[in-house]
Amino acid sequence: MNWIEISVCCDGEGAEAVSELFNRYNAGQEGRGGAVVEIGGFDALGELPQPIITVRTYLPASEEGKALQQRIEEGLWHLAQIYPLPEPQVQELAETDWAEAWKAHYRPLRVGQRLVITPSWLASGAAPGDVVIKLDPGMAFGSGLHPSTRLCLMLLEQHLRPGDSVLDLGTGSGILAIAAAKLGAGFVLARDIDPVAVKVAQENLEVNSVAHVVRVEDGSVPVRGSEHETFEPQTWNLIMVNILADVIVNLLDQGLATLLAPGGRLILSGIIQPRAPEVEAALQACQLTIIERLQEGDWLAFLAECPLLIPDHQYLVPDTHLPPCTVSSYSPPSFRATE
Ligand code: SAH
């Protein structure tokens, strides 16, 4: 049988949207694996100053495949009305070409100083000291290609402290939670309101052997003191949210900052430049100070910090340091209210 290859060349942001479209129309088993992403633009040092990304999908060259091709091309046309995309390239391939074609396009992606994101079947070629995150293409957002994810990973790499308790809100593929666990977090709670993301993230935790440090579940901001949360930290040393500015502002209004331990840090990303003042105002209203800003293109990420002491604030402080978490030994800290 022959195959139809549709490919689109774009930047990281466009790649997330095109991959999502390919996965939506042309999902493989269990709704995964419809998009193949090739990353180019590496310089001589293996760095990626200006990623050039090609996203491909493969359809059988049958009547059904051709009908799907038409729907995909229509979908791409609609996408191109809101995001600049070139014309898709279409070619027909023989079975033998296709069998190896899709895996051949993948390459590991370096982020920050030590993080390497690679599909699980590729020997990563990682250097000693590198932190390898194995991520297979899936439906959930969070391949590491989007600038907002990369900015989060950079802040996480710089600011995570060993043993930190970490809350990853809107985990998507689980990429940030996995990175936190591999960089030395004591315990990570990863939540997402999308059940597909929860399932994909759980699989990715297992592939990365961090399921004993990270718990992934359906939901949004944990409710402090609820029966369900009894066995978890009640405050967090580090909270990461890579969603959109309006969702972030909403979460801050709902009391997200009160879940930070004294001196705790908040990584916020997914903020396009014109919306940054709203996020800055919401942080200020919560008495959080922005101590670092990173920018790539129009996308901004903030690192904000909670003061060690806020006058008249009732803190919950852990009685002990969080122990490192292993399958058999993780036991939650107990908490006492400050006077
Ligand atoms: N953390 C990943 C994925 C970010 S995409 C990364 O950095 O690449 C944002 C994710 O947030 C999506 O999976 C979406 O389902 C989820 N989400 C959106 N609103 C949310 C909310 N209010 N609470 C929790 N998750 C949310």
Side-chain angles (χ1 to χ4, degrees):
M1 178 172 59
N2 285 358
W3 293 83
I4 302 163
E5 180 192 73
I6 307 176
S7 58
V8 181
C9 223
C10 44
D11 61 12
E13 197 179 335
E16 285 281 0
V18 174
S19 303
E20 201 273 328
L21 187 139
F22 285 171
N23 279 318
R24 184 151 29 98
Y25 286 112
N26 186 29
Q29 270 187 342
E30 298 183 359
R32 305 188 63 192
V36 175
V37 183
E38 176 189 354
I39 304 164
F42 291 87
D43 63 17
L45 299 170
E47 303 285 329
L48 200 58
Q50 191 69 53
I52 303 163
I53 298 167
T54 310
V55 190
R56 303 170 205 267
T57 196
Y58 296 91
L59 308 165
S62 58
E63 280 310 303
E64 208 181 319
K66 286 186 177 142
L68 206 50
Q69 174 188 349
Q70 193 178 347
R71 290 177 60 203
I72 289 176
E73 284 177 331
E74 281 165 14
L76 288 171
W77 184 87
H78 285 293
L79 197 57
Q81 305 310 301
I82 51 170
Y83 195 86
L85 288 177
E87 283 282 309
Q89 302 296 308
V90 180
Q91 62 168 329
E92 198 162 321
L93 299 173
E95 172 85 59
T96 42
D97 301 332
W98 176 79
E100 284 310 311
W102 71 282
K103 281 193 174 180
H105 293 306
Y106 282 95
R107 277 193 72 165
L109 172 66
R110 272 194 172 274
V111 181
Q113 300 296 310
R114 298 193 287 149
L115 295 167
V116 180
I117 303 160
T118 176
S120 60
W121 65 82
L122 265 190
S124 72
D130 278 349
V131 175
V132 176
I133 302 168
K134 294 181 193 160
L135 271 192
D136 283 347
M139 269 181 85
F141 185 102
S143 62
L145 294 173
H146 197 277
S148 66
T149 310
R150 281 209 299 276
L151 296 175
C152 267
L153 287 168
M154 288 181 213
L155 288 173
L156 177 67
E157 183 183 46
Q158 286 170 40
H159 296 282
L160 181 99
R161 297 175 189 146
D164 270 356
S165 55
V166 179
L167 175 63
D168 175 19
L169 267 189
T171 196
S173 64
I175 185 168
L176 302 178
I178 294 166
K182 293 203 168 185
L183 288 166
F187 174 66
V188 186
L189 177 63
R191 286 193 154 192
D192 203 293
I193 51 173
D194 174 0
V196 175
V198 171
K199 185 168 176 292
V200 172
Q202 184 62 47
E203 288 167 12
N204 288 332
L205 298 184
E206 279 151 28
V207 170
N208 284 277
S209 312
V210 292
H212 58 295
V213 183
V214 186
R215 198 165 89 214
V216 60
E217 57 188 33
D218 216 327
S220 188
V221 180
V223 178
R224 208 159 80 172
S226 72
E227 199 180 320
H228 184 57
E229 309 298 338
T230 316
F231 297 109
E232 275 157 18
Q234 305 273 299
T235 56
W236 304 86
N237 303 121
L238 184 65
I239 300 180
M240 310 182 283
V241 189
N242 176 17
I243 314 182
L244 294 172
D246 53 344
V247 181
I248 292 172
V249 169
N250 231 317
L251 294 174
L252 286 168
D253 287 350
Q254 286 169 32
L256 181 66
T258 66
L259 297 179
L260 281 171
R265 281 138 294 130
L266 181 59
I267 294 176
L268 298 177
S269 193
I271 305 160
I272 47 165
Q273 203 165 17
R275 308 296 302 273
E278 293 161 50
V279 179
E280 285 165 340
L283 285 168
Q284 205 175 16
C286 302
Q287 308 192 51
L288 298 184
T289 313
I290 298 178
I291 55 172
E292 192 166 342
R293 287 160 204 265
L294 293 183
Q295 181 160 8
E296 188 180 324
D298 287 343
W299 294 93
L300 283 170
F302 295 151
L303 178 85
E305 197 171 52
C306 180
L308 278 169
L309 285 174
I310 304 174
D312 305 327
H313 187 88
Q314 256 248 325
Y315 288 105
L316 287 170
V317 292
D319 277 336
T320 57
H321 258 313
L322 273 174
C325 173
T326 64
V327 176
S328 54
S329 75
Y330 177 70
S331 60
S334 57
F335 290 84
R336 63 186 158 75
T338 51
E339 300 299 311

